[in-house]
Amino acid sequence: MPKISRRASQTPSSKIRRVFNKSLGHDDWVKFTVGEPDFDTDQTIIEAAYQAALMGNTHYVHNAGIFPLRQQLAKKFYEDQHLTVNPETELMVTNGGTEAIYLALQAIVEPGDEVIMPGPQWTPYPMLTTLNHGKAVICKVHEKDGFQYTEENLRRSITPNSRILILNSPCNPTGGMAGRSTLEMVAKVAKEFDLWVLSDEVYEKLVYDGNEHISIASLPEMKERTIIINSFSKSYAMTGWRVGFMMAPAALMQVMVKLHELETSCCNVPAQYAALAALNMDQVVTGRMLEQYAKRREILVKGLNRISGVSCVPPKGTFYAFANVKELGVPSDELVERMMDEVGLAVVPGTAFGEDGEGFLRFSFAVSEKTIEEGLERFETFVKSLRQ
Ligand SMILES: Cc1ncc(COP(=O)(O)O)c(C=O)c1O
């Protein structure tokens, strides 16, 4: 057979998929694996896509996305973060946040450039970095620091080759959020070492206990070195529609629009109209989803903390609980395999998010309260069996 690229074929497949695939066909298992809302997309949004298609919006559009959507996004940035963003030159609609991250790395990274990211981190960051000829530099973050960068560990990760610093707040998998003081520290370091900040804000709307999402781009002199990644996937239960968006300085955006044209031309057009409807509709719909997540979070976190040998810091944002299982004394991967085989419970090992995730399990609470209660029972039974 002719050759396949080594770089591509050696990219590991994600452990989340492995657990997910193993759980397929086991309808009696309790599953906390997938990182997507269990709600259906709101009817208003679906109707808007249908109407757009009926009205003939089925052709290629501007590579950066339909202008009314970019205008609405600019308004959103202003209302949410007091950011003044030019919809003509600084915004682009992408095929999900994932493509936006890919484009940013492709546009910035030269071979050997280093991309700093937290450990544990969302699984694709290191893989996308390597695919774009960069080197992933993992900066370990700790539970005691709310899984946030500290100035000390961040400075230790910097070398003359550092080019991009990834910030993910609220964070998948840890549920941690960067407060103003952390953001100020990150901003200071980014300016000192002339780094780009790739700020992944896809969970910005899923925050609890009155926590406030602050974009680092809103800090003084940060907009000019920040790329904001965002998406309709999580905020509006629109994972399958594949609509994301990004904000970046015009000079960088111009390059990314060009790459986006080569890769996908533009984001699916009826889906862009659906996204526009999502922004324009009564936001009470997202508020209702958030209320549900908040209830589930409470049940899950309380339940986990009741199990001897398990502890869980309440996540400030996202729909993930990152449970510390170090006291159980069994590696996360082994725990996950045995839980599936012995009690039919599927969760994601912390190691799916890099080696710094060892000793943790990620539970997604984008599942019903009943599923959470049943899962907690199975987890407790399993943990007790370990002690016998
Ligand atoms: C941290 C983070 N960033 C980005 C994404 C990408 O989401 P999408 O491509 O669906 O917009 C995800 C999805 O799980 C995520 O967890």
Side-chain angles (χ1 to χ4, degrees):
M1 192 174 77
K3 267 193 184 165
I4 299 174
S5 141
R6 192 159 359 117
R7 193 162 37 89
S9 54
Q10 285 182 353
T11 300
S13 49
S14 108
K15 277 192 193 172
I16 306 182
R17 272 287 133 192
R18 216 175 63 208
V19 177
F20 179 76
N21 290 345
K22 181 163 169 173
S23 73
L24 284 177
H26 293 282
D27 295 340
D28 56 330
W29 285 15
V30 177
K31 303 171 191 177
F32 291 96
T33 47
V34 284
E36 71 165 330
D38 57 327
F39 301 104
D40 289 327
T41 304
D42 191 79
Q43 215 46 42
T44 317
I45 301 174
I46 298 173
E47 186 66 28
Y50 178 58
Q51 289 303 333
L54 280 182
M55 286 168 70
N57 292 299
T58 52
H59 302 273
Y60 292 130
V61 292
H62 192 295
N63 303 122
I66 57 170
F67 196 59
L69 177 54
R70 281 185 280 149
Q71 276 177 311
Q72 259 330 94
L73 288 170
K75 187 162 165 259
K76 173 197 135 39
F77 275 116
Y78 188 74
E79 286 170 359
D80 290 356
Q81 300 291 335
H82 294 289
L83 273 170
T84 305
V85 182
N86 184 335
E88 293 195 36
T89 56
E90 295 176 326
L91 280 177
M92 173 157 60
V93 183
T94 55
N95 290 278
T98 309
E99 194 216 1
I101 298 169
Y102 196 86
L103 287 172
L105 293 168
Q106 214 173 25
I108 297 171
V109 174
E110 297 275 13
D113 279 355
E114 293 178 358
V115 179
I116 301 169
M117 59 193 73
Q121 77 292 122
W122 186 49
T123 319
Y125 295 150
M127 300 178 189
L128 291 173
T129 300
T130 313
L131 279 174
N132 282 297
H133 306 273
K135 181 176 170 216
V137 173
I138 313 292
C139 175
K140 184 172 172 134
V141 293
H142 299 272
E143 191 178 28
K144 68 174 174 47
D145 301 318
F147 294 107
Q148 296 307 306
Y149 291 127
T150 62
E151 184 156 358
E152 197 192 348
N153 65 12
L154 198 50
R155 282 185 185 276
R156 234 186 284 130
S157 307
I158 291 170
T159 77
N161 295 326
S162 305
R163 193 75 51 224
I164 304 181
L165 172 57
I166 297 184
L167 187 69
N168 175 211
S169 174
C171 173
N172 173 12
T174 65
M177 271 179 84
R180 192 168 287 280
S181 58
T182 301
L183 294 173
E184 282 169 354
M185 177 278 290
V186 173
K188 182 178 77 176
V189 172
K191 283 188 243 176
E192 184 178 330
F193 294 95
D194 197 19
L195 305 176
W196 285 103
V197 176
L198 189 150
S199 182
D200 182 343
E201 306 181 8
V202 306
Y203 293 95
E204 64 158 348
K205 298 291 179 196
L206 304 181
V207 297
Y208 310 101
D209 299 338
N211 282 302
E212 186 198 4
H213 166 71
I214 307 168
S215 174
I216 194 164
S218 68
L219 270 53
E221 296 158 39
M222 282 307 289
K223 188 176 159 231
E224 63 218 51
R225 60 175 67 251
T226 303
I227 304 124
I228 295 181
I229 306 294
N230 211 325
S231 169
F232 287 83
S233 289
K234 318 287 174 172
S235 312
Y236 294 97
M238 287 179 70
T239 43
W241 295 77
R242 310 307 305 130
V243 191
F245 54 98
M246 63 196 308
M247 185 221 73
L252 174 63
M253 186 56 84
Q254 201 183 6
V255 175
M256 294 193 294
V257 171
K258 203 170 55 184
L259 298 176
H260 176 68
E261 176 184 358
L262 295 172
E263 281 161 14
T264 68
S265 291
C266 61
C267 171
N268 175 304
V269 178
Q272 294 195 48
Y273 281 93
L276 179 59
L279 289 179
N280 285 334
M281 75 183 183
D282 189 340
Q283 300 299 303
V284 83
V285 174
T286 48
R288 261 191 239 120
M289 287 195 276
L290 187 62
E291 269 171 34
Q292 295 292 317
Y293 290 136
K295 263 203 243 161
R296 297 162 177 189
R297 165 184 174 265
E298 171 119 9
I299 298 169
L300 179 60
V301 172
K302 266 199 189 144
L304 288 170
N305 281 316
R306 265 201 298 266
I307 300 173
S308 161
V310 178
S311 64
C312 182
V313 175
K316 291 184 172 169
T318 73
F319 40 56
Y320 307 109
F322 208 49
N324 184 329
V325 290
K326 288 181 183 166
E327 262 189 46
L328 302 181
V330 182
S332 307
D333 284 12
E334 188 184 326
L335 275 180
V336 166
E337 288 297 323
R338 287 183 55 187
M339 275 158 53
M340 286 194 280
D341 294 340
E342 293 173 27
V343 294
L345 175 62
V347 304
V348 180
T351 49
F353 310 99
E355 59 188 45
D356 296 315
E358 181 55 273
F360 291 88
L361 301 176
R362 191 195 76 172
F363 290 71
S364 161
F365 49 90
V367 292
S368 72
E369 288 177 30
K370 195 164 159 279
T371 303
I372 294 174
E373 271 151 14
E374 171 68 27
L376 282 167
E377 259 178 48
R378 291 189 189 202
F379 189 38
E380 187 163 19
T381 305
F382 173 78
V383 171
K384 278 187 182 154
S385 77
L386 284 179
R387 299 194 179 276
Q388 277 160 12

